[in-house]
Amino acid sequence: MFELHGRTALVTGAGQGVGAGIAELMARQGAAVAVNDIVAERAEEVAARIREAGGSAYALPFDVTDQGAVAPAVRAFERMVAPVDILVNNAGNGGAEGFRPTRFRDSDPADWQRFADINLFGVMNATRAVLDGMCARRHGRVITIASGAGTQGLNIGVSLYGAAKGGAIAFTRHLAVEHAREGITANSIAVGLIDPASSGRQASATVAMAKAIPVGRLGKPEDIGATCVFLASREAEWITGQTWQVNGGAPTT
Ligand SMILES: NC(=O)c1ccc[n+]([C@@H]2O[C@H](COP(=O)([O-])OP(=O)(O)OC[C@H]3O[C@@H](n4cnc5c(N)ncnc54)[C@H](O)[C@@H]3O)[C@@H](O)[C@H]2O)c1
């Protein structure tokens, strides 16, 4: 069960953190993985690690927010390797300029666009690049890595991010219904708090937050990777249009 042999997956923003975990688990289940990242060295490093572990992986650097660049990069990969059966829209957060939590009232309007660019338009760009092929082959899996911030109100300065993630969730749900008869499923994962160490960030501030998570620990990239493997598998063909809360039991309303 949950085999991905013979499948090809594209994971965006997979050069570190959650995306790297998703790419690694998908490869372990047998998928050939296109490891995308805007930072080419990161993509190459993760792809090399997967190959060293016996998996099949290719670095595929591009910027998901660059509408003109995404489809040509995906086409070139598909010509060289194989058509993409599974897309994981993982690239997200604050983009290249990072993430400074700010209440909406204090936010700089010049900052609004970049959250939408990566967390919403990046999802659309990558999805559009693989969708025609999935429709033609009558098989596809689209998984959008969203956030609890996209499904609930939080008082931690993430309204811009949450708005874009909420948009990505809604987009993915519509996509699911538009293509349900073509063998394509589309689901979102509202991810909870992941151990920042997996992205090379300081973990100290989150120690107390980890204790408040009902299961008693922060999430790991593998927790999200395992969820993606299931959603990408043949066995999950009746699951579409859903938003799964994967967060160690944290409140979700
Ligand atoms: N880490 C968490 O606690 C958490 C919680 C909820 C949701 N998420 C979501 O999970 C996903 C991954 O989060 P993370 O913390 O592992 O991220 P991260 O910041 O550690 O890694 C993101 C990767 O994406 C790459 N990237 C950035 N902009 C890109 C672009 N325009 N095109 C292609 N690649 C790009 C970066 O170079 C980086 O390697 C994001 O969508 C994030 O919103 C994370």
Side-chain angles (χ1 to χ4, degrees), residues 56-138:
S56 170
Y58 308 80
L60 185 57
F62 59 79
D63 176 353
V64 296
T65 71
D66 183 349
Q67 198 172 58
V70 179
V74 172
R75 283 298 84 72
F77 170 82
E78 290 188 316
R79 271 197 305 274
M80 221 174 55
V81 181
V84 174
D85 308 295
I86 302 162
L87 168 66
V88 185
N89 285 309
N90 168 80
N93 278 333
E97 288 161 62
F99 204 127
R100 280 179 317 282
T102 315
R103 286 194 327 159
F104 176 69
R105 191 177 174 200
D106 305 319
S107 68
D108 179 349
D111 247 12
W112 298 354
Q113 186 69 44
R114 70 184 170 98
F115 282 96
D117 279 344
I118 182 154
N119 293 291
L120 176 57
F121 290 107
V123 170
M124 292 184 187
N125 289 337
T127 302
R128 190 61 180 267
V130 299
L131 197 54
D132 284 349
M134 288 179 176
C135 288
R137 294 185 300 280
R138 301 194 71 78

Side-chain angles (χ1 to χ4, degrees), residues 11-22 36-40 42-43 60-66 70 89-97 99 117-119 122-123 144-149 161 165 189-196 198-201 206 218-219 221 224 246:
V11 186
T12 65
Q16 67 175 32
V18 171
I22 295 168
N36 161 258
D37 206 282
I38 194 170
V39 182
R42 287 186 187 168
L60 185 57
F62 59 79
D63 176 353
V64 296
T65 71
D66 183 349
V70 179
N89 285 309
N90 168 80
N93 278 333
E97 288 161 62
F99 204 127
D117 279 344
I118 182 154
N119 293 291
V123 170
T144 297
I145 304 302
S147 164
Y161 170 72
K165 288 296 196 191
I189 303 176
V191 174
L193 198 57
I194 301 297
D195 188 345
S198 66
S199 297
R201 292 190 280 265
T206 46
L218 292 164
I224 309 307
V246 180

